[in-house]
Amino acid sequence: MKKYEFGGPIGALGIVLGLPILQWFYVFGCNDISGCPIPSLLDPKNISLETLKAEAGWPADGIWGLGSWESFGWTLAYYFLSLFLFRILPGQEVEGTELACGGRHKYKFNGLASSSIILAVCLAGTIAQGAEFPLWTYITDNYLQLLTANIIISFALSVYVYIASFSVKPGDPEKRELAAGGHTGNMIYDFYIGRELNPRINLPFFGLIDIKTFCEVRPGLLGWLLIDLAWLAKQYRNYGYVSDSAVFITVVQGLYVMDCFVMESGILTMMDITRDGFGFMLAFGDLGWVPFLYSQQVRYLSVYPLQMGWLGTAGVLAVLVTGFTIFRLSNAEKNTFRTNPNDPKVAHLKYIETKRGTRLLTTGWWGVARHINYLGDWIQSCPYSLPTGIAGYVILSAGSDVPGAFKMADGREVIQGPARGWGMLFTYFYILYFGVLLIHRDGRDDDNCSMKYGEDWDKYKKIVKWRILPGVY
């Protein structure tokens, strides 16, 4: 019997069609034209198609206005710049984990150097031209079209790797292999989940490119930070200053992105690399979902420049530090125990010796919950949304003279009004989504460990009862 995830073929089809639509909805439903959410959504009884289109900023060209050849061209140029820097810059050479077919792939990592060069150019441009630096204005002015370009590239790349996967044969000299759960025979599901484990392509000049690791850390991760910076510049153009809330989120997310580049080779042990095939799930997630969904909060704040103040900033920072501490200390404990179990820091910990010869910790951080690191990861995601407060705003025409309104550079005024609280559907969606993602990932890992350790895993679960959140889940 085939073992499906994500609701099987029907669920996969829903995700493939639904997530791009959801992202377009976010662009139109929370905007700098009428409000967040747009006023018609707050009064559905009196809604009309024409009013809805006007408030949402629906393109004059209709559906064709969702994209543009120019934005598509610049997006491809950005991808090729990433490839060019990958090719010419020196990098760390690392071997991946053991493949089921035998042997290991070799990888080159230089994301930190590559991203640093791009950010240095952006810094120089911003020093010279301020918030009017053309990259920042182009991203915000063509945000919808850039999103569509990345969605199209995600689909095109998914089709390519799906078709190419059928050339994988047993005993392939290039160590190509199919993902364990990616060749069920159902086209829709396999297209989504990914048939080939680590698809690679040999391009003129650029050389051998591992498609999965390239997409995992670039260009989407850096794109996320660039979009944040573009919306920060937009806030400055709107109001002549930047709010502490927008700066806080941009800095925190920027540190996360740069940390990923510093620890770039660490992705080789992640489930995405070692178990999952590369299909639409990862292609769209890396290129379309991460950079555009994860930057929603700064996009919101570019229009509603909420100030947290020192007390609010300290509170949100405390949440971040708490999550980061749990995440880092738990992972450090696990890594130390794996590499040097006699280290004084972990030598006192109790564990179960499995029949495979491995050890499962039952005390310390990993005795609290089987995925205590996921709890820390989820907590440290909350500061991405908390600085938006009780979100929601309505944009009024110039000259409204409403007391306490934020006045934009073009004279329009921004208040919360009836939208107060409803904007949280946009700015806090990330926390909900990330929580569901971690719970699903925990379930997948539990299934894999059950097959891997058998009775030992059942014994372990009786000792460490909680999955992620002690006393709750």
Side-chain angles (χ1 to χ4, degrees):
M1 182 178 178
K2 296 184 179 71
K3 183 175 177 58
Y4 289 123
E5 298 181 79
F6 302 98
I10 294 177
L13 180 62
I15 294 173
V16 170
L17 298 179
L19 290 189
I21 294 174
L22 177 63
Q23 288 205 272
W24 281 317
F25 170 76
Y26 265 50
V27 174
F28 292 118
C30 179
N31 60 45
D32 61 356
I33 298 172
S34 60
C36 181
I38 58 178
S40 290
L41 296 179
L42 300 174
D43 187 22
K45 292 182 179 179
N46 299 312
I47 199 169
S48 71
L49 182 59
E50 290 305 314
T51 301
L52 192 64
K53 290 168 66 175
E55 292 176 349
W58 185 254
D61 296 338
I63 194 171
W64 299 108
L66 295 176
S68 72
W69 286 110
E70 180 185 76
S71 294
F72 190 77
W74 280 116
T75 301
L76 287 178
Y78 169 63
Y79 278 67
F80 278 106
L81 174 61
S82 296
L83 283 170
F84 178 75
L85 293 175
F86 170 79
R87 172 65 177 82
I88 67 169
L89 295 176
Q92 179 186 15
E93 300 286 344
V94 182
E95 282 193 340
T97 57
E98 184 77 21
L99 298 168
C101 62
R104 302 170 186 265
H105 283 310
K106 291 185 178 180
Y107 299 86
K108 175 184 176 181
F109 293 109
N110 59 10
L112 180 61
S114 175
S115 60
S116 296
I117 289 175
I118 294 175
L119 290 172
V121 172
C122 292
L123 176 61
T126 303
I127 291 174
Q129 298 176 285
E132 298 293 339
F133 179 48
L135 177 62
W136 306 144
T137 58
Y138 191 85
I139 289 175
T140 54
D141 292 347
N142 299 274
Y143 180 74
L144 171 64
Q145 290 74 25
L146 292 171
L147 167 62
T148 300
N150 281 277
I151 290 174
I152 292 173
I153 291 172
S154 299
F155 271 99
L157 189 58
S158 302
V159 170
Y160 168 77
V161 295
Y162 177 78
I163 295 174
S165 69
F166 287 94
S167 63
V168 176
K169 304 298 181 184
D172 192 291
E174 296 180 356
K175 302 184 183 68
R176 297 175 65 196
E177 64 176 302
L178 299 180
H183 52 107
T184 65
N186 184 284
M187 184 177 70
I188 295 174
Y189 182 80
D190 292 347
F191 170 81
Y192 169 72
I193 207 74
R195 292 190 85 247
E196 188 171 352
L197 183 62
N198 297 114
R200 297 181 150 206
I201 185 171
N202 206 328
L203 298 174
F205 176 75
F206 299 113
L208 186 65
I209 305 296
D210 186 276
I211 298 174
K212 186 195 286 186
T213 56
F214 179 81
C215 292
E216 190 82 16
V217 291
R218 14 149 158 225
L221 267 182
L222 181 61
W224 171 15
L225 178 56
L226 293 176
I227 293 173
D228 271 353
L229 292 170
W231 288 119
L232 196 65
K234 177 72 171 182
Q235 186 186 68
Y236 187 86
R237 295 197 300 274
N238 280 338
Y239 297 103
Y241 62 88
V242 290
S243 65
D244 56 9
S245 54
V247 171
F248 182 91
I249 295 175
T250 303
V251 169
V252 169
Q253 294 185 344
L255 289 174
Y256 177 87
V257 170
M258 298 311 294
D259 180 65
C260 288
F261 286 124
V262 170
M263 306 296 292
E264 190 175 11
S265 61
I267 68 170
L268 295 180
T269 60
M270 291 172 55
M271 183 186 299
D272 290 356
I273 304 298
T274 61
R275 300 178 188 173
D276 294 334
F278 185 80
F280 182 83
M281 179 178 72
L282 291 181
F284 176 76
D286 293 339
L287 308 178
W289 189 253
V290 168
F292 291 90
L293 179 76
Y294 290 16
S295 57
Q296 282 295 318
Q297 292 81 13
V298 186
R299 178 173 176 256
Y300 168 88
L301 291 168
S302 71
V303 181
Y304 193 81
L306 178 70
Q307 296 284 3
M308 295 190 295
W310 288 109
L311 187 59
T313 301
V316 177
L317 184 61
V319 175
L320 175 65
V321 171
T322 299
F324 181 80
T325 300
I326 295 173
F327 180 76
R328 281 299 188 200
L329 291 183
S330 60
N331 280 328
E333 182 182 80
K334 178 179 63 175
N335 291 335
T336 301
F337 186 77
R338 282 179 174 175
T339 56
N340 184 16
N342 296 319
D343 189 302
K345 296 178 182 178
V346 297
H348 64 286
L349 298 177
K350 295 180 180 180
Y351 56 85
I352 291 176
E353 185 92 38
T354 70
K355 295 176 182 177
R356 294 173 60 94
T358 54
R359 299 171 176 179
L360 301 174
L361 285 170
T362 58
T363 59
W365 282 105
W366 299 90
V368 177
R370 301 198 292 270
H371 272 122
I372 190 66
N373 59 329
Y374 286 2
L375 175 62
D377 210 10
W378 183 80
I379 291 175
Q380 67 178 345
S381 75
C382 294
Y384 291 3
S385 299
L386 290 174
T388 64
I390 309 300
Y393 60 77
V394 176
I395 299 178
L396 307 176
S397 59
S400 298
D401 296 324
V402 176
F406 292 110
K407 297 184 184 295
M408 300 174 74
D410 60 7
R412 292 181 299 159
E413 299 181 7
V414 183
I415 63 170
Q416 288 208 286
R420 176 179 168 81
W422 291 104
M424 295 174 72
L425 296 172
F426 297 87
T427 63
Y428 284 77
F429 174 76
Y430 172 77
I431 296 179
L432 175 63
Y433 152 75
F434 196 56
V436 172
L437 176 69
L438 292 175
I439 290 173
H440 180 265
R441 186 175 294 173
D442 168 78
R444 297 180 71 196
D445 189 67
D446 185 75
D447 289 341
N448 287 324
C449 288
S450 181
M451 290 187 291
K452 183 177 181 181
Y453 298 115
E455 294 178 357
D456 290 325
W457 187 249
D458 293 330
K459 180 181 177 182
Y460 168 71
K461 290 197 292 184
K462 290 179 180 179
I463 299 174
V464 184
K465 299 179 179 180
W466 301 106
R467 289 172 173 261
I468 298 175
L469 180 59
V472 178
Y473 177 76

